[in-house]
């Protein structure tokens, strides 16, 4: 049976894959998308808690993690956040902005997916769902030196492809179909892969306090430390869970924790549960309360109104005290200092970063040194383009990972279609 010939095949119907397909088709390419799930764009529905925070006004390069800031910046500038907003508006999705975060005016992530589906239909992109990419085989000319295309094998068919856009995602959220297949296939071709690790996820701790504080939510600051140096920090609502710590501030540093643990290092966290107060202010307040409440009051009485009960119990446990113990010890400088240390910088020993099934994105992926900066084409394999989470680029919370998906998909789609046209002209 003769293989079907396809000018542009997009593997993966997520955010970057859908935009890549639309852009290639806009420039006249015949485009086919294969998608593992039963419908494209499913992962989009989960973004922003179903509201789809699709970009952010603040586009500092520090919001992205990669091995090549220059390449990332070049790609982002080609199709920046304002162009994304305009692109969505022109295609039917109006936006609303809150503190620099952009969402669909409808408040529904489904609006974004529906818009991308309409655009693919408008430009006659052929979509095959429930079809999984399995293998990529380079095809060469008679000399055996030059790649002329690729045999792409799926679980349903084989295709002869001239331009292949890999938008299969990373390893995070495997329930959405992103199970790291792209890394395996490219490694088989000899492409360098930065080890993929979980990011934007919770951190599990090796600390008995977790059983006591489960369910607490508090505004706090978390710092990442390793080998005596503070490496990162973030502030916001922190969620205490039965096995550790969660919330956006924790998510923001989790990818870096993953990398440090992978490198065999021993990072740890410091937690400040009263970030708006200095340590001296906390100590003064503890003493004021003891003196005001009078003799016979408990530590729980003193901490009531300062900290949630569960959190107070967890912090006191580290001092081998309980809320029912007498508060008179706080009249001593040593005890006030020790309790203030727990409130302002409790040291937390990390057991692990939560697995990919709980992670929002992957840190790591195709090494950026393997890619042409102006096209996102693999240097070793002309005609294969890498987009989205498959590349070694990940962003913090706030619409950055979707911005990278839009930008990289837009560039890869246009590059593939333009290269196809150039090849056709050179033959005529």
């Amino acid at each position: 049976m003769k293989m079907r010939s396809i000018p542009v095949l997009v593997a993966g119907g997520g955010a970057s894959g859908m935009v890549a397909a639309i852009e290639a088709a806009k420039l006249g390419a015949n485009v086919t998308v294969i998608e593992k799930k039963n419908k494209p764009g499913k992962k989009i529905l989960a973004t922003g808690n179903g509201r789809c925070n699709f970009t952010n006004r603040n586009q500092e390069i520090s919001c992205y993690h990669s091995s090549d800031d220059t390449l990332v910046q070049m790609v982002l500038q080609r199709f920046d956040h304002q162009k994304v907003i305009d692109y969505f508006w022109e295609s039917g999705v109006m936006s609303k902005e809150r503190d620099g975060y952009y969402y669909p005016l409808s408040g529904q992530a489904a609006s974004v997916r529906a818009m991308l589906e309409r655009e693919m239909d408008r430009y006659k992109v052929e979509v095959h769902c429930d079809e999984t990419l399995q293998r990529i085989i380079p095809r060469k000319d008679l000399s055996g030196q030059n790649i002329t295309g690729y045999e792409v094998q799926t679980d349903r068919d084989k295709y002869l492809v001239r331009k292949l856009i890999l938008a299969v995602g990373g390893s995070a959220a495997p329930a959405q179909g992103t199970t790291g297949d792209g890394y395996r296939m490219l490694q088989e071709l000899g492409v360098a892969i930065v080890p993929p690790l979980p990011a934007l996820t919770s951190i599990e701790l090796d600390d008995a306090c977790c059983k006591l504080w489960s369910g607490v939510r508090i505004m706090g600051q978390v710092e990442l430390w390793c080998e005596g140096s503070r490496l990162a920090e973030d502030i916001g609502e922190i969620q205490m869970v039965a096995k550790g710590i969660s919330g956006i501030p924790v998510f923001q540093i989790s990818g870096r924790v993953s990398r440090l643990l992978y490198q065999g290092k021993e990072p740890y966290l410091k937690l400040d549960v009263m970030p708006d107060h200095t340590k001296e202010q906390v100590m003064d307040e503890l003493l004021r309360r003891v003196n005001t409440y009078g003799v016979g009051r408990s530590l729980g009485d003193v901490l009531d109104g300062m900290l949630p009960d569960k959190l107070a119990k967890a912090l006191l446990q580290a001092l081998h005290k309980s809320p029912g113990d007498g508060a008179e010890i706080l009249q001593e400088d040593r005890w006030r200092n020790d309790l203030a240390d727990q409130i302002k910088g409790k040291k937390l020993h990390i057991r692990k970063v939560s697995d990919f099934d709980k992670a929002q994105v992957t840190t790591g992926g195709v090494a950026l040194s393997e890619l042409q900066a102006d096209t996102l084409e693999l240097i070793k394999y002309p005609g294969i383009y890498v987009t989205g989470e498959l590349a070694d680029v990940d962003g913090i919370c706030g619409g950055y990972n979707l911005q990278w998906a839009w930008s990289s998909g837009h560039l890869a789609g246009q590059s593939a279609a333009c290269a196809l046209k150039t090849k056709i002209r050179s033959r005529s």
Side-chain angles (χ1 to χ4, degrees):
M1 181 177 175
K2 187 177 180 181
M3 283 188 289
R4 180 182 168 194
S5 180
I6 294 179
V8 178
L9 178 68
V10 180
S16 68
M18 294 173 87
V19 169
I22 292 164
E23 289 307 302
K26 276 183 182 179
L27 294 177
N30 189 328
V31 182
T32 299
V33 173
I34 57 171
E35 164 56 37
K36 182 185 290 189
K37 305 299 283 185
N38 63 2
K39 198 170 184 181
K42 278 202 163 185
K43 198 172 179 181
I44 293 173
L45 299 181
T47 60
N49 292 319
R51 294 179 297 135
C52 193
N53 171 203
F54 65 86
T55 191
N56 199 298
R57 183 175 63 227
N58 172 30
Q59 287 294 321
E60 297 294 326
I61 195 61
S62 59
C63 298
Y64 296 88
H65 309 129
S66 76
S67 57
D68 188 342
D69 288 350
T70 301
L71 182 148
V72 174
Q73 204 153 30
M74 285 175 61
V75 175
L76 293 171
Q77 287 173 349
R78 290 277 295 268
F79 191 56
D80 63 22
H81 78 283
Q82 188 57 55
K83 289 178 181 175
V84 168
I85 295 166
D86 294 342
Y87 186 93
F88 277 29
W89 177 79
E90 289 166 3
S91 302
V93 174
M94 299 174 71
S95 63
K96 57 183 175 183
E97 181 260 347
R98 179 172 58 83
D99 299 327
Y101 295 65
Y102 284 85
Y103 301 85
L105 187 59
S106 66
Q108 297 176 312
S111 299
V112 174
R113 184 177 78 167
M115 175 271 286
L116 294 170
E117 286 187 300
R118 284 196 304 271
E119 290 296 285
M120 287 200 299
D121 184 62
R122 176 184 174 190
Y123 290 102
K124 297 179 171 53
V125 173
E126 186 176 332
V127 180
H128 299 180
C129 292
D130 297 310
E131 185 167 3
T132 303
L133 178 65
Q134 292 185 330
R135 195 177 178 203
I136 304 163
I137 303 171
R139 300 286 289 261
K140 296 184 178 180
D141 60 14
L142 294 176
S143 71
Q145 301 297 315
N146 302 309
I147 294 174
T148 58
Y150 298 90
E151 179 183 329
V152 174
Q153 299 178 0
T154 74
D155 59 347
R156 288 173 48 184
D157 215 335
K158 292 182 180 180
Y159 306 98
L160 187 58
V161 177
R162 293 169 65 186
K163 303 296 177 185
L164 174 62
I165 299 175
L166 292 177
V168 293
S171 295
Q176 302 295 335
T178 47
T179 53
D181 299 339
Y183 305 133
R184 172 188 56 78
M185 284 179 274
L186 290 176
Q187 278 182 317
E188 290 174 356
L189 293 175
V191 175
I193 306 293
V194 177
L197 300 168
L200 297 192
T201 188
S202 55
I203 294 175
E204 296 185 20
L205 302 173
D206 191 10
D207 199 312
C209 69
C210 300
K211 295 178 181 178
L212 300 176
W213 71 18
S214 180
V216 170
R217 291 174 179 251
I218 194 168
M219 290 299 294
Q221 177 173 295
V222 63
E223 297 177 350
L224 171 61
W225 288 74
C226 190
E227 298 175 348
S229 298
R230 184 174 63 183
L231 304 179
E233 63 182 60
D234 207 273
I235 191 168
E237 185 181 76
I238 295 173
Q239 301 168 28
M240 316 304 195
V241 294
K243 291 186 177 181
I245 192 168
S246 188
I248 288 178
V250 178
F251 286 7
Q252 305 290 45
I253 64 173
S254 60
R256 196 156 186 186
V257 174
S258 284
R259 190 64 58 193
L260 290 168
L261 291 173
Y262 179 82
Q263 293 168 350
K265 297 182 179 180
E266 297 182 358
Y268 58 91
L269 305 179
K270 285 187 179 180
L271 176 64
D272 182 350
V273 297
M274 290 183 65
D276 293 335
H277 298 78
T278 65
K279 180 181 173 181
E280 290 71 24
Q281 288 173 331
V282 171
M283 291 180 67
D284 289 346
E285 179 62 13
L286 291 172
L287 182 60
R288 185 193 71 81
R289 286 170 175 245
V290 171
N291 292 336
T292 300
Y293 297 169
V295 179
R297 293 296 180 178
S298 69
L299 290 170
D301 289 335
V302 171
L303 293 175
D304 185 37
M306 286 181 71
L307 302 173
D309 294 344
K310 286 184 176 182
L311 180 57
K313 188 174 183 180
L315 297 182
L316 288 171
Q317 184 189 63
L319 302 178
H320 305 288
K321 296 293 179 181
S322 69
D325 290 340
E328 62 274 3
I329 62 170
L330 294 179
Q331 291 176 329
E332 298 179 30
D333 291 346
R334 178 175 72 88
W335 283 107
R336 286 201 314 282
N337 181 76
D338 289 351
L339 182 52
D341 279 344
Q342 290 294 309
I343 291 171
K344 291 295 295 177
K346 179 173 176 57
K347 187 175 181 179
L348 301 172
H349 298 281
I350 298 168
R351 190 170 75 84
K352 59 175 287 191
V353 171
S354 296
D355 297 329
F356 279 120
D357 60 344
K358 293 183 179 179
Q360 293 183 21
V361 299
T362 305
T363 183
V366 175
L368 299 189
S369 59
E370 297 277 2
L371 302 176
Q372 299 278 6
D374 57 344
T375 62
L376 295 181
E377 185 177 24
L378 284 172
I379 296 169
K380 295 176 183 175
Y381 293 97
I384 297 182
Y385 303 80
V386 173
T387 72
E389 205 172 323
L390 186 60
D392 177 26
V393 182
D394 62 284
I396 63 173
C397 294
Y400 296 99
N401 289 290
L402 276 178
Q403 176 64 52
W404 171 251
W406 312 133
S407 297
S408 60
H410 192 273
L411 176 57
Q414 290 193 345
S415 298
C418 289
L420 200 62
K421 283 185 176 182
T422 301
K423 205 161 190 178
I424 292 171
R425 283 198 298 269
S426 66
R427 286 177 176 175
S428 58

